[in-house]
PDB file of all heavy atoms in Angstrom:
ATOM      1  N   PRO V   1       0.792  -1.223   0.000  1.00 95.00           N
ATOM      2  CA  PRO V   1       0.000   0.000   0.000  1.00 95.00           C
ATOM      3  C   PRO V   1       0.831   1.284   0.000  1.00 95.00           C
ATOM      4  O   PRO V   1       0.291   2.382  -0.032  1.00 95.00           O
ATOM      5  CB  PRO V   1      -0.756  -0.109   1.326  1.00 95.00           C
ATOM      6  CG  PRO V   1       0.277  -0.702   2.248  1.00 95.00           C
ATOM      7  CD  PRO V   1       1.075  -1.676   1.400  1.00 95.00           C
ATOM      8  N   ASP V   2       2.158   1.159   0.013  1.00 95.00           N
ATOM      9  CA  ASP V   2       3.013   2.309   0.348  1.00 95.00           C
ATOM     10  C   ASP V   2       2.913   3.468  -0.636  1.00 95.00           C
ATOM     11  O   ASP V   2       2.978   4.630  -0.233  1.00 95.00           O
ATOM     12  CB  ASP V   2       4.471   1.847   0.471  1.00 95.00           C
ATOM     13  CG  ASP V   2       4.649   0.756   1.507  1.00 95.00           C
ATOM     14  OD1 ASP V   2       4.409   1.035   2.690  1.00 95.00           O
ATOM     15  OD2 ASP V   2       4.982  -0.377   1.130  1.00 95.00           O
ATOM     16  N   ALA V   3       2.764   3.154  -1.930  1.00 96.00           N
ATOM     17  CA  ALA V   3       2.744   4.225  -2.930  1.00 96.00           C
ATOM     18  C   ALA V   3       1.493   5.083  -2.842  1.00 96.00           C
ATOM     19  O   ALA V   3       1.454   6.189  -3.402  1.00 96.00           O
ATOM     20  CB  ALA V   3       2.873   3.630  -4.330  1.00 96.00           C
ATOM     21  N   PHE V   4       0.482   4.615  -2.125  1.00 96.00           N
ATOM     22  CA  PHE V   4      -0.782   5.353  -2.078  1.00 96.00           C
ATOM     23  C   PHE V   4      -0.674   6.645  -1.269  1.00 96.00           C
ATOM     24  O   PHE V   4      -1.573   7.494  -1.340  1.00 96.00           O
ATOM     25  CB  PHE V   4      -1.890   4.460  -1.509  1.00 96.00           C
ATOM     26  CG  PHE V   4      -2.435   3.478  -2.508  1.00 96.00           C
ATOM     27  CD1 PHE V   4      -1.671   2.384  -2.908  1.00 96.00           C
ATOM     28  CD2 PHE V   4      -3.687   3.658  -3.062  1.00 96.00           C
ATOM     29  CE1 PHE V   4      -2.162   1.479  -3.837  1.00 96.00           C
ATOM     30  CE2 PHE V   4      -4.187   2.758  -3.999  1.00 96.00           C
ATOM     31  CZ  PHE V   4      -3.424   1.656  -4.391  1.00 96.00           C
ATOM     32  N   ILE V   5       0.393   6.819  -0.528  1.00 97.00           N
ATOM     33  CA  ILE V   5       0.580   8.084   0.164  1.00 97.00           C
ATOM     34  C   ILE V   5       0.971   9.190  -0.815  1.00 97.00           C
ATOM     35  O   ILE V   5       0.723  10.380  -0.563  1.00 97.00           O
ATOM     36  CB  ILE V   5       1.650   7.952   1.277  1.00 97.00           C
ATOM     37  CG1 ILE V   5       1.710   9.233   2.110  1.00 97.00           C
ATOM     38  CG2 ILE V   5       3.009   7.625   0.710  1.00 97.00           C
ATOM     39  CD1 ILE V   5       0.404   9.627   2.748  1.00 97.00           C
ATOM     40  N   GLY V   6       1.579   8.825  -1.954  1.00 97.00           N
ATOM     41  CA  GLY V   6       2.133   9.819  -2.869  1.00 97.00           C
ATOM     42  C   GLY V   6       1.158  10.869  -3.355  1.00 97.00           C
ATOM     43  O   GLY V   6       1.367  12.078  -3.138  1.00 97.00           O
ATOM     44  N   PRO V   7       0.068  10.497  -4.035  1.00 97.00           N
ATOM     45  CA  PRO V   7      -0.858  11.513  -4.541  1.00 97.00           C
ATOM     46  C   PRO V   7      -1.526  12.340  -3.441  1.00 97.00           C
ATOM     47  O   PRO V   7      -1.719  13.543  -3.608  1.00 97.00           O
ATOM     48  CB  PRO V   7      -1.886  10.681  -5.329  1.00 97.00           C
ATOM     49  CG  PRO V   7      -1.122   9.467  -5.751  1.00 97.00           C
ATOM     50  CD  PRO V   7      -0.232   9.158  -4.584  1.00 97.00           C
ATOM     51  N   MET V   8      -1.880  11.701  -2.328  1.00 98.00           N
ATOM     52  CA  MET V   8      -2.480  12.472  -1.238  1.00 98.00           C
ATOM     53  C   MET V   8      -1.469  13.459  -0.660  1.00 98.00           C
ATOM     54  O   MET V   8      -1.807  14.621  -0.370  1.00 98.00           O
ATOM     55  CB  MET V   8      -2.994  11.531  -0.134  1.00 98.00           C
ATOM     56  CG  MET V   8      -3.547  12.259   1.083  1.00 98.00           C
ATOM     57  SD  MET V   8      -4.899  13.414   0.729  1.00 98.00           S
ATOM     58  CE  MET V   8      -6.278  12.274   0.579  1.00 98.00           C
ATOM     59  N   ALA V   9      -0.230  13.042  -0.515  1.00 97.00           N
ATOM     60  CA  ALA V   9       0.809  13.954  -0.019  1.00 97.00           C
ATOM     61  C   ALA V   9       1.008  15.112  -0.993  1.00 97.00           C
ATOM     62  O   ALA V   9       1.211  16.258  -0.574  1.00 97.00           O
ATOM     63  CB  ALA V   9       2.117  13.200   0.201  1.00 97.00           C
ATOM     64  N   GLU V  10       0.966  14.807  -2.289  1.00 97.00           N
ATOM     65  CA  GLU V  10       1.037  15.871  -3.313  1.00 97.00           C
ATOM     66  C   GLU V  10      -0.048  16.907  -3.077  1.00 97.00           C
ATOM     67  O   GLU V  10       0.192  18.117  -3.097  1.00 97.00           O
ATOM     68  CB  GLU V  10       0.847  15.280  -4.719  1.00 97.00           C
ATOM     69  CG  GLU V  10       2.102  14.866  -5.425  1.00 97.00           C
ATOM     70  CD  GLU V  10       1.880  14.744  -6.930  1.00 97.00           C
ATOM     71  OE1 GLU V  10       0.921  15.358  -7.445  1.00 97.00           O
ATOM     72  OE2 GLU V  10       2.675  14.059  -7.584  1.00 97.00           O
ATOM     73  N   LEU V  11      -1.268  16.423  -2.905  1.00 98.00           N
ATOM     74  CA  LEU V  11      -2.401  17.329  -2.727  1.00 98.00           C
ATOM     75  C   LEU V  11      -2.247  18.165  -1.471  1.00 98.00           C
ATOM     76  O   LEU V  11      -2.447  19.395  -1.494  1.00 98.00           O
ATOM     77  CB  LEU V  11      -3.694  16.508  -2.672  1.00 98.00           C
ATOM     78  CG  LEU V  11      -4.981  17.271  -2.370  1.00 98.00           C
ATOM     79  CD1 LEU V  11      -5.220  18.366  -3.399  1.00 98.00           C
ATOM     80  CD2 LEU V  11      -6.171  16.316  -2.317  1.00 98.00           C
ATOM     81  N   LEU V  12      -1.864  17.544  -0.363  1.00 98.00           N
ATOM     82  CA  LEU V  12      -1.742  18.278   0.896  1.00 98.00           C
ATOM     83  C   LEU V  12      -0.603  19.292   0.849  1.00 98.00           C
ATOM     84  O   LEU V  12      -0.732  20.407   1.372  1.00 98.00           O
ATOM     85  CB  LEU V  12      -1.544  17.301   2.054  1.00 98.00           C
ATOM     86  CG  LEU V  12      -2.710  16.338   2.318  1.00 98.00           C
ATOM     87  CD1 LEU V  12      -2.386  15.408   3.483  1.00 98.00           C
ATOM     88  CD2 LEU V  12      -4.003  17.097   2.584  1.00 98.00           C
ATOM     89  N   ARG V  13       0.517  18.920   0.224  1.00 98.00           N
ATOM     90  CA  ARG V  13       1.624  19.884   0.099  1.00 98.00           C
ATOM     91  C   ARG V  13       1.203  21.074  -0.761  1.00 98.00           C
ATOM     92  O   ARG V  13       1.573  22.222  -0.480  1.00 98.00           O
ATOM     93  CB  ARG V  13       2.856  19.206  -0.496  1.00 98.00           C
ATOM     94  CG  ARG V  13       3.576  18.261   0.451  1.00 98.00           C
ATOM     95  CD  ARG V  13       4.980  17.931  -0.040  1.00 98.00           C
ATOM     96  NE  ARG V  13       4.955  17.307  -1.352  1.00 98.00           N
ATOM     97  CZ  ARG V  13       4.935  15.999  -1.566  1.00 98.00           C
ATOM     98  NH1 ARG V  13       4.908  15.171  -0.538  1.00 98.00           N
ATOM     99  NH2 ARG V  13       4.930  15.513  -2.794  1.00 98.00           N
ATOM    100  N   ASP V  14       0.449  20.794  -1.816  1.00 98.00           N
ATOM    101  CA  ASP V  14      -0.030  21.872  -2.677  1.00 98.00           C
ATOM    102  C   ASP V  14      -0.941  22.814  -1.893  1.00 98.00           C
ATOM    103  O   ASP V  14      -0.805  24.045  -1.969  1.00 98.00           O
ATOM    104  CB  ASP V  14      -0.778  21.270  -3.871  1.00 98.00           C
ATOM    105  CG  ASP V  14      -1.022  22.291  -4.976  1.00 98.00           C
ATOM    106  OD1 ASP V  14      -1.609  23.347  -4.684  1.00 98.00           O
ATOM    107  OD2 ASP V  14      -0.641  22.026  -6.136  1.00 98.00           O
ATOM    108  N   LEU V  15      -1.844  22.244  -1.120  1.00 97.00           N
ATOM    109  CA  LEU V  15      -2.792  23.068  -0.366  1.00 97.00           C
ATOM    110  C   LEU V  15      -2.108  23.888   0.710  1.00 97.00           C
ATOM    111  O   LEU V  15      -2.554  25.003   1.025  1.00 97.00           O
ATOM    112  CB  LEU V  15      -3.874  22.178   0.250  1.00 97.00           C
ATOM    113  CG  LEU V  15      -4.834  21.516  -0.745  1.00 97.00           C
ATOM    114  CD1 LEU V  15      -5.755  20.534  -0.031  1.00 97.00           C
ATOM    115  CD2 LEU V  15      -5.644  22.559  -1.503  1.00 97.00           C
ATOM    116  N   GLU V  16      -1.030  23.367   1.288  1.00 96.00           N
ATOM    117  CA  GLU V  16      -0.319  24.133   2.308  1.00 96.00           C
ATOM    118  C   GLU V  16       0.703  25.084   1.693  1.00 96.00           C
ATOM    119  O   GLU V  16       1.332  25.870   2.397  1.00 96.00           O
ATOM    120  CB  GLU V  16       0.368  23.204   3.304  1.00 96.00           C
ATOM    121  CG  GLU V  16       1.544  22.433   2.767  1.00 96.00           C
ATOM    122  CD  GLU V  16       2.127  21.457   3.787  1.00 96.00           C
ATOM    123  OE1 GLU V  16       1.487  21.249   4.844  1.00 96.00           O
ATOM    124  OE2 GLU V  16       3.203  20.900   3.512  1.00 96.00           O
ATOM    125  N   GLY V  17       0.872  25.016   0.372  1.00 97.00           N
ATOM    126  CA  GLY V  17       1.721  25.966  -0.332  1.00 97.00           C
ATOM    127  C   GLY V  17       3.192  25.645  -0.340  1.00 97.00           C
ATOM    128  O   GLY V  17       4.014  26.519  -0.649  1.00 97.00           O
ATOM    129  N   THR V  18       3.564  24.393  -0.046  1.00 97.00           N
ATOM    130  CA  THR V  18       4.982  24.043   0.003  1.00 97.00           C
ATOM    131  C   THR V  18       5.510  23.456  -1.311  1.00 97.00           C
ATOM    132  O   THR V  18       6.698  23.549  -1.585  1.00 97.00           O
ATOM    133  CB  THR V  18       5.255  23.040   1.140  1.00 97.00           C
ATOM    134  OG1 THR V  18       4.405  21.897   0.978  1.00 97.00           O
ATOM    135  CG2 THR V  18       4.970  23.672   2.487  1.00 97.00           C
ATOM    136  N   GLU V  19       4.634  22.826  -2.107  1.00 97.00           N
ATOM    137  CA  GLU V  19       5.069  22.242  -3.369  1.00 97.00           C
ATOM    138  C   GLU V  19       3.856  22.009  -4.264  1.00 97.00           C
ATOM    139  O   GLU V  19       2.841  21.468  -3.809  1.00 97.00           O
ATOM    140  CB  GLU V  19       5.798  20.908  -3.135  1.00 97.00           C
ATOM    141  CG  GLU V  19       6.397  20.300  -4.392  1.00 97.00           C
ATOM    142  CD  GLU V  19       7.137  19.005  -4.102  1.00 97.00           C
ATOM    143  OE1 GLU V  19       7.344  18.695  -2.912  1.00 97.00           O
ATOM    144  OE2 GLU V  19       7.508  18.309  -5.057  1.00 97.00           O
ATOM    145  N   GLN V  20       3.952  22.387  -5.519  1.00 97.00           N
ATOM    146  CA  GLN V  20       2.833  22.207  -6.432  1.00 97.00           C
ATOM    147  C   GLN V  20       2.636  20.732  -6.768  1.00 97.00           C
ATOM    148  O   GLN V  20       3.604  19.997  -6.991  1.00 97.00           O
ATOM    149  CB  GLN V  20       3.047  22.998  -7.718  1.00 97.00           C
ATOM    150  CG  GLN V  20       2.870  24.500  -7.566  1.00 97.00           C
ATOM    151  CD  GLN V  20       2.874  25.222  -8.902  1.00 97.00           C
ATOM    152  OE1 GLN V  20       3.390  24.717  -9.896  1.00 97.00           O
ATOM    153  NE2 GLN V  20       2.304  26.405  -8.936  1.00 97.00           N
ATOM    154  N   ALA V  21       1.383  20.305  -6.820  1.00 97.00           N
ATOM    155  CA  ALA V  21       1.061  18.935  -7.202  1.00 97.00           C
ATOM    156  C   ALA V  21       1.350  18.718  -8.681  1.00 97.00           C
ATOM    157  O   ALA V  21       1.236  19.639  -9.491  1.00 97.00           O
ATOM    158  CB  ALA V  21      -0.402  18.648  -6.907  1.00 97.00           C
ATOM    159  N   LYS V  22       1.742  17.494  -9.018  1.00 96.00           N
ATOM    160  CA  LYS V  22       2.029  17.148 -10.408  1.00 96.00           C
ATOM    161  C   LYS V  22       0.904  16.328 -11.029  1.00 96.00           C
ATOM    162  O   LYS V  22       0.621  16.452 -12.208  1.00 96.00           O
ATOM    163  CB  LYS V  22       3.348  16.381 -10.488  1.00 96.00           C
ATOM    164  CG  LYS V  22       4.555  17.180 -10.008  1.00 96.00           C
ATOM    165  CD  LYS V  22       5.834  16.360 -10.108  1.00 96.00           C
ATOM    166  CE  LYS V  22       7.048  17.174  -9.665  1.00 96.00           C
ATOM    167  NZ  LYS V  22       6.981  17.547  -8.232  1.00 96.00           N
ATOM    168  N   CYS V  23       0.276  15.447 -10.244  1.00 96.00           N
ATOM    169  CA  CYS V  23      -0.807  14.587 -10.761  1.00 96.00           C
ATOM    170  C   CYS V  23      -2.145  15.319 -10.709  1.00 96.00           C
ATOM    171  O   CYS V  23      -3.150  14.769 -10.238  1.00 96.00           O
ATOM    172  CB  CYS V  23      -0.893  13.299  -9.963  1.00 96.00           C
ATOM    173  SG  CYS V  23       0.511  12.207 -10.115  1.00 96.00           S
ATOM    174  N   THR V  24      -2.179  16.555 -11.177  1.00 98.00           N
ATOM    175  CA  THR V  24      -3.415  17.330 -11.118  1.00 98.00           C
ATOM    176  C   THR V  24      -4.425  16.791 -12.120  1.00 98.00           C
ATOM    177  O   THR V  24      -4.086  16.069 -13.065  1.00 98.00           O
ATOM    178  CB  THR V  24      -3.139  18.800 -11.425  1.00 98.00           C
ATOM    179  OG1 THR V  24      -2.644  18.915 -12.771  1.00 98.00           O
ATOM    180  CG2 THR V  24      -2.112  19.381 -10.449  1.00 98.00           C
ATOM    181  N   GLY V  25      -5.675  17.175 -11.914  1.00 98.00           N
ATOM    182  CA  GLY V  25      -6.691  16.792 -12.876  1.00 98.00           C
ATOM    183  C   GLY V  25      -6.365  17.290 -14.260  1.00 98.00           C
ATOM    184  O   GLY V  25      -6.534  16.570 -15.261  1.00 98.00           O
ATOM    185  N   ARG V  26      -5.865  18.513 -14.354  1.00 98.00           N
ATOM    186  CA  ARG V  26      -5.520  19.092 -15.670  1.00 98.00           C
ATOM    187  C   ARG V  26      -4.409  18.291 -16.330  1.00 98.00           C
ATOM    188  O   ARG V  26      -4.484  17.982 -17.523  1.00 98.00           O
ATOM    189  CB  ARG V  26      -5.110  20.552 -15.474  1.00 98.00           C
ATOM    190  CG  ARG V  26      -4.708  21.294 -16.742  1.00 98.00           C
ATOM    191  CD  ARG V  26      -5.854  21.479 -17.694  1.00 98.00           C
ATOM    192  NE  ARG V  26      -6.939  22.288 -17.158  1.00 98.00           N
ATOM    193  CZ  ARG V  26      -8.101  22.460 -17.784  1.00 98.00           C
ATOM    194  NH1 ARG V  26      -8.327  21.869 -18.959  1.00 98.00           N
ATOM    195  NH2 ARG V  26      -9.061  23.192 -17.243  1.00 98.00           N
ATOM    196  N   ASP V  27      -3.386  17.941 -15.587  1.00 98.00           N
ATOM    197  CA  ASP V  27      -2.296  17.139 -16.145  1.00 98.00           C
ATOM    198  C   ASP V  27      -2.789  15.749 -16.541  1.00 98.00           C
ATOM    199  O   ASP V  27      -2.402  15.209 -17.575  1.00 98.00           O
ATOM    200  CB  ASP V  27      -1.162  17.007 -15.134  1.00 98.00           C
ATOM    201  CG  ASP V  27      -0.072  16.053 -15.602  1.00 98.00           C
ATOM    202  OD1 ASP V  27       0.777  16.471 -16.407  1.00 98.00           O
ATOM    203  OD2 ASP V  27      -0.088  14.879 -15.181  1.00 98.00           O
ATOM    204  N   ASN V  28      -3.656  15.162 -15.732  1.00 98.00           N
ATOM    205  CA  ASN V  28      -4.101  13.797 -15.970  1.00 98.00           C
ATOM    206  C   ASN V  28      -4.940  13.667 -17.231  1.00 98.00           C
ATOM    207  O   ASN V  28      -5.112  12.553 -17.756  1.00 98.00           O
ATOM    208  CB  ASN V  28      -4.882  13.289 -14.758  1.00 98.00           C
ATOM    209  CG  ASN V  28      -5.140  11.803 -14.820  1.00 98.00           C
ATOM    210  OD1 ASN V  28      -6.282  11.375 -14.967  1.00 98.00           O
ATOM    211  ND2 ASN V  28      -4.089  11.005 -14.732  1.00 98.00           N
ATOM    212  N   LEU V  29      -5.454  14.781 -17.751  1.00 98.00           N
ATOM    213  CA  LEU V  29      -6.211  14.712 -18.999  1.00 98.00           C
ATOM    214  C   LEU V  29      -5.376  14.121 -20.132  1.00 98.00           C
ATOM    215  O   LEU V  29      -5.901  13.424 -21.007  1.00 98.00           O
ATOM    216  CB  LEU V  29      -6.722  16.099 -19.387  1.00 98.00           C
ATOM    217  CG  LEU V  29      -7.807  16.695 -18.477  1.00 98.00           C
ATOM    218  CD1 LEU V  29      -8.170  18.100 -18.941  1.00 98.00           C
ATOM    219  CD2 LEU V  29      -9.040  15.806 -18.433  1.00 98.00           C
ATOM    220  N   THR V  30      -4.068  14.371 -20.105  1.00 98.00           N
ATOM    221  CA  THR V  30      -3.219  13.820 -21.161  1.00 98.00           C
ATOM    222  C   THR V  30      -3.085  12.310 -21.027  1.00 98.00           C
ATOM    223  O   THR V  30      -3.060  11.587 -22.027  1.00 98.00           O
ATOM    224  CB  THR V  30      -1.831  14.492 -21.140  1.00 98.00           C
ATOM    225  OG1 THR V  30      -1.990  15.911 -21.212  1.00 98.00           O
ATOM    226  CG2 THR V  30      -0.991  14.031 -22.328  1.00 98.00           C
ATOM    227  N   THR V  31      -3.002  11.805 -19.801  1.00 98.00           N
ATOM    228  CA  THR V  31      -2.997  10.349 -19.616  1.00 98.00           C
ATOM    229  C   THR V  31      -4.291   9.743 -20.146  1.00 98.00           C
ATOM    230  O   THR V  31      -4.278   8.715 -20.835  1.00 98.00           O
ATOM    231  CB  THR V  31      -2.815  10.001 -18.134  1.00 98.00           C
ATOM    232  OG1 THR V  31      -1.506  10.422 -17.713  1.00 98.00           O
ATOM    233  CG2 THR V  31      -2.944   8.510 -17.891  1.00 98.00           C
TER     234      THR V  31
END
């Protein structure tokens, strides 16, 4: 289960203003 922390951590860091998320909905449109 370890990798499942990644996207949630991305989101929380983005919301707290420390690092922009990469797996955003806008980015995921290309996938």
Side-chain angles (χ1 to χ4, degrees):
D2 302 296
F4 282 72
I5 187 57
M8 176 57 79
E10 269 199 22
L11 175 58
L12 297 179
R13 287 196 301 267
D14 194 305
L15 292 173
E16 70 184 10
T18 55
E19 185 178 350
Q20 287 189 338
K22 298 180 178 64
C23 294
T24 63
R26 179 66 63 187
D27 173 81
N28 191 248
L29 292 177
T30 306
T31 294

